[in-house]
Amino acid sequence: MKTKHGDDRNRPEGSGKINWKLLLILILNTTVIFGFYRFAITQKYYFYVMWAYMAATSALAIGYVVYNRGFSRRGVTKDMLPDTMTDEEKQAFIDDGERRMKKSKWMLTLLFPFIFTFIYDVLELFVGDQLFRLFS
């Protein structure tokens, strides 16, 4: 099928489309999580907030991987599954993997802001002074 953007037959389903709702939630969560972290470290609660954020990040990351069963069902096709399974079982197996990926997207809208916060903090701690000296 030709569109104004070119040939869409080779694109995976869902690619090229922006999920504005998820993007807005991601931006909002990033703003709140990062903003609270920055506020808390100015109020001298750095130690407690850092450990709470590490625990939340770890719990979300582990939860996401475990819920999606280690991504073992990602990209699986019917011909990759054992012959001992019926076609209905194979389809249910594949559908379950896709359903889990879709249902767990909300975790990413929290996980990415926590990771962003830690990346910013690490860069500020270890690279911030060098950048400040470089540009001043």
Side-chain angles (χ1 to χ4, degrees):
M1 168 190 297
K2 283 277 201 182
T3 64
K4 64 180 178 180
H5 300 292
D7 192 1
D8 286 339
R9 284 178 286 186
N10 296 329
R11 267 192 198 169
E13 188 175 321
S15 70
K17 296 179 184 176
I18 295 176
N19 188 336
W20 292 103
K21 181 181 174 185
L22 272 179
L23 182 62
L24 182 63
I25 292 170
L26 179 65
I27 291 169
L28 179 68
N29 285 346
T30 302
T31 304
V32 170
I33 290 169
F34 182 74
F36 179 75
Y37 185 82
R38 298 302 293 179
F39 172 75
I41 62 173
T42 63
Q43 301 300 314
K44 308 298 184 217
Y45 295 114
Y46 183 77
F47 180 78
Y48 303 109
V49 173
M50 180 189 66
W51 284 105
Y53 271 46
M54 281 186 187
T57 304
S58 299
L60 281 166
I62 292 168
Y64 184 73
V65 171
V66 168
Y67 182 76
N68 286 300
R69 299 186 177 180
F71 308 108
S72 62
R73 297 176 181 207
R74 192 171 193 175
V76 174
T77 60
K78 284 184 179 183
D79 58 330
M80 297 168 113
L81 297 172
D83 294 334
T84 57
M85 295 175 79
T86 65
D87 282 340
E88 292 81 25
E89 289 174 330
K90 290 179 181 182
Q91 191 59 48
F93 184 89
I94 293 168
D95 291 343
D96 181 56
E98 291 173 2
R99 181 184 56 80
R100 286 175 180 271
M101 288 297 287
K102 286 179 183 173
K103 285 183 77 173
S104 62
K105 280 186 181 179
W106 69 269
M107 288 184 204
L108 295 178
T109 66
L110 291 172
L111 185 59
F112 286 154
F114 281 113
I115 292 171
F116 170 78
T117 301
F118 282 121
I119 289 171
Y120 182 88
D121 201 31
V122 166
L123 288 175
E124 182 183 40
L125 286 171
F126 295 110
V127 183
D129 289 339
Q130 287 87 354
L131 286 176
F132 182 73
R133 281 190 296 244
L134 181 67
F135 293 112
S136 61

